[in-house]
């Protein structure tokens, strides 16, 4: 049994962590923090957790957090870096769901997040937590950066093709749609359901903060810098990401066999039968990424369809998957859930 703390418990990823960890047989949730809701019972804000989480929100206290075996940061970007150095110094393991430690280059991070990073010395220590590429390193990591939701869907879709050298890394396109929960739990008029219902729009066309993360990971596995056009869209749904990924093939291979072989031992990647069209509702509430690979009209274009739940496989579920690996638990413990339909 390990002791777990959560910093930032009132957002969507925070409550998703609580929902999943409450039924984890190897976890004791010791503390859940929120400066704005300190003193309030968790079940008062999130009635779905009544009878499952008997804690009150509290102010972040480094001494209390350092007594935990692992601390999750479910906070907005730039918040974790204020507390993480102290916890690392005390030997507490940290799993950060924000973008504070995802990139390897501090200058790139500061450019995209438009603020100085307060602990750049930890960049070299942070490990990128995509289990399908870093499983062995995750076992011994002290500071782990959970991939973003868009990057998770895109990277899992492109990786088999780039690893095998089958597509031109200079001509990659990611056309991706997400639900409104990806923007976080805050008052934001463009994200209100009344504003987006019955509508659909692109955003971040000139550049999105997840772009350098995706480029960095894909370049690592391509062996050269990739050129990726990444266009996110806001869809009128609460949860889910659907990524349509395009690449230009440089040889003719059995793409279905390639994907099945790459992910055959992965519990949380489902390569669907040839011709499939994965739906976002098929992964709602689950930690799985469903993939389908197509070669329309036998052309030199490969199309990969990738769907995830942005709050689970794209955030909290993947964070717990990493925790399971770090502490030697069965990787599926507490997160081997079936999606909710309808």
């Amino acid at each position: 049994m390990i002791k777990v703390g959560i910093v930032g418990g009132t957002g969507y990823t925070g409550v998703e962590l609580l929902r999943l960890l409450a039924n984890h047989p190897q976890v004791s949730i010791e503390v859940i923090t929120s400066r704005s809701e300190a003193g309030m019972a968790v079940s008062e804000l999130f009635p779905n957790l009544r009878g499952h989480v008997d804690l009150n929100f509290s102010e972040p206290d480094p001494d209390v957090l350092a007594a935990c075996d692992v601390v999750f940061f479910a906070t907005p970007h730039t918040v974790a870096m204020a507390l993480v150095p102290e916890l690392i110094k005390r030997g507490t393991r940290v799993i950060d769901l924000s973008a504070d430690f995802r990139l390897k280059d501090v200058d790139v991070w500061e450019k995209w997040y438009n603020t100085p990073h307060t602990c750049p010395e930890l960049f070299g220590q942070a490990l990128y937590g995509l289990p399908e590429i870093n499983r062995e390193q995750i076992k011994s990591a002290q500071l782990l950066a959970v991939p973003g939701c868009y990057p998770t869907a895109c990277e899992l879709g492109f990786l088999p093709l780039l690893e095998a050298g089958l597509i031109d890394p200079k001509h990659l396109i990611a056309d991706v749609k997400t639900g409104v929960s990806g923007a976080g739990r805050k008052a934001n008029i463009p994200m209100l359901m009344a504003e987006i219902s019955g509508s659909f729009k692109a955003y971040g066309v000139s550049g999105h903060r997840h772009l350098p993360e995706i480029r960095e990971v894909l370049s690592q596995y391509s062996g050269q810098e990739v050129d990726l056009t990444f266009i996110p869209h806001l869809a009128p749904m609460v949860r889910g990401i659907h990524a349509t990924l395009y690449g230009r093939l440089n040889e003719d291979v059995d793409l279905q066999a390639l994907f099945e072989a790459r992910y055959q031992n992965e519990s949380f990647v489902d390569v669907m039968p040839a011709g499939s069209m994965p739906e976002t509702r098929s992964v709602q509430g689950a930690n799985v990424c469903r993939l389908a690979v197509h070669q329309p009209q036998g052309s030199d274009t490969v199309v990969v369809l990738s769907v995830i739940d942005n709050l689970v496989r794209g955030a909290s579920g993947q964070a717990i998957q990493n925790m399971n690996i770090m502490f030697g638990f069965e990787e599926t413990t507490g997160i081997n859930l079936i999606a909710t339909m309808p």
Side-chain angles (χ1 to χ4, degrees):
M1 184 73 71
I2 61 171
K3 296 179 179 179
V4 169
I6 301 173
V7 178
T10 58
Y12 292 136
T13 57
V15 68
E16 201 72 347
L17 278 171
L18 286 168
R19 180 179 74 87
L20 296 170
L21 289 171
N23 286 319
H24 196 294
Q26 300 294 336
V27 162
S28 171
I29 305 173
E30 298 292 309
V31 59
I32 175 80
T33 80
S34 169
R35 296 183 189 277
S36 61
E37 307 298 346
M40 177 186 289
V42 169
S43 59
E44 183 178 345
L45 188 62
F46 299 117
N48 63 315
L49 297 174
R50 181 176 171 82
H52 298 281
V53 178
D54 186 22
L55 287 172
N56 289 354
F57 294 108
S58 61
E59 293 273 354
D61 183 331
D63 292 328
V64 174
L65 292 168
C68 296
D69 297 296
V70 61
V71 174
F72 293 90
F73 279 81
T75 50
H77 310 314
T78 74
V79 174
M81 58 185 177
L83 273 173
V84 165
E86 178 66 20
L87 296 178
I88 294 296
K89 185 169 63 175
R90 297 197 190 191
T92 304
R93 300 177 90 170
V94 171
I95 299 176
D96 180 22
L97 282 77
S98 80
D100 285 9
F101 300 97
R102 287 180 190 154
L103 301 180
K104 296 184 182 300
D105 188 317
V106 175
D107 292 335
V108 172
W109 189 94
E110 291 180 343
K111 171 188 173 183
W112 284 91
Y113 289 89
N114 197 32
T115 188
H117 201 287
T118 59
C119 49
E121 69 279 2
L122 290 180
F123 264 52
Q125 185 175 342
L127 179 70
Y128 192 70
L130 190 67
E132 289 77 10
I133 60 174
N134 283 332
R135 183 170 283 106
E136 287 304 311
Q137 300 96 308
I138 289 168
K139 293 177 182 179
S140 58
Q142 187 182 4
L143 173 57
L144 189 138
V146 179
C149 50
Y150 281 139
T152 296
C154 294
E155 289 159 14
L156 290 173
F158 274 128
L159 274 171
L161 298 164
L162 289 170
E163 288 173 338
L166 294 175
I167 54 175
D168 181 354
K170 296 300 183 182
H171 294 88
L172 305 181
I173 297 173
D175 180 11
V176 193
K177 293 83 176 173
T178 189
V180 293
S181 60
R185 189 172 186 263
K186 58 183 180 291
N188 186 354
I189 289 176
M191 300 299 152
L192 297 176
M193 192 56 74
E195 301 291 326
I196 67 160
S197 181
S199 185
F200 183 81
K201 68 175 182 179
Y203 68 100
V205 176
S206 61
H208 186 280
R209 287 174 172 178
H210 281 166
L211 177 60
E213 178 184 346
I214 303 170
R215 279 181 175 168
E216 184 175 275
V217 173
L218 295 184
S219 296
Q220 179 183 352
Y221 287 88
S222 173
Q224 60 179 293
E225 288 295 316
V226 303
D227 189 350
L228 171 71
T229 300
F230 169 64
I231 309 296
H233 299 73
L234 185 63
M237 58 186 183
V238 174
R239 289 176 182 248
I241 284 179
H242 186 296
T244 305
L245 312 173
Y246 301 87
R248 185 178 298 167
L249 290 164
N250 52 38
E251 61 180 281
D252 188 21
V253 298
D254 186 337
L255 295 170
Q256 185 70 24
L258 173 75
F259 273 72
E260 289 177 357
R262 174 60 175 85
Y263 292 121
Q264 63 181 339
N265 296 317
E266 296 294 346
S267 300
F268 294 116
V269 180
D270 176 23
V271 178
M272 300 185 69
S276 297
M277 305 289 179
E279 302 176 69
T280 55
R281 65 174 186 157
S282 75
V283 295
Q284 183 170 288
N287 193 54
V288 67
C289 172
R290 289 207 159 91
L291 299 172
V293 59
H294 297 259
Q295 191 175 353
Q297 295 85 48
S299 70
D300 65 352
T301 298
V302 58
V303 177
V304 181
L305 307 177
S306 174
V307 298
I308 63 170
D309 183 320
N310 56 296
L311 297 179
V312 187
R313 183 64 218 248
S316 303
Q318 186 157 241
I320 296 170
Q321 184 181 354
N322 279 288
M323 180 200 74
N324 286 340
I325 298 169
M326 291 168 76
F327 288 92
F329 306 140
E330 177 63 37
E331 194 166 325
T332 59
T333 305
I335 49 174
N336 197 21
L337 304 173
I338 298 171
T340 58
M341 290 179 62

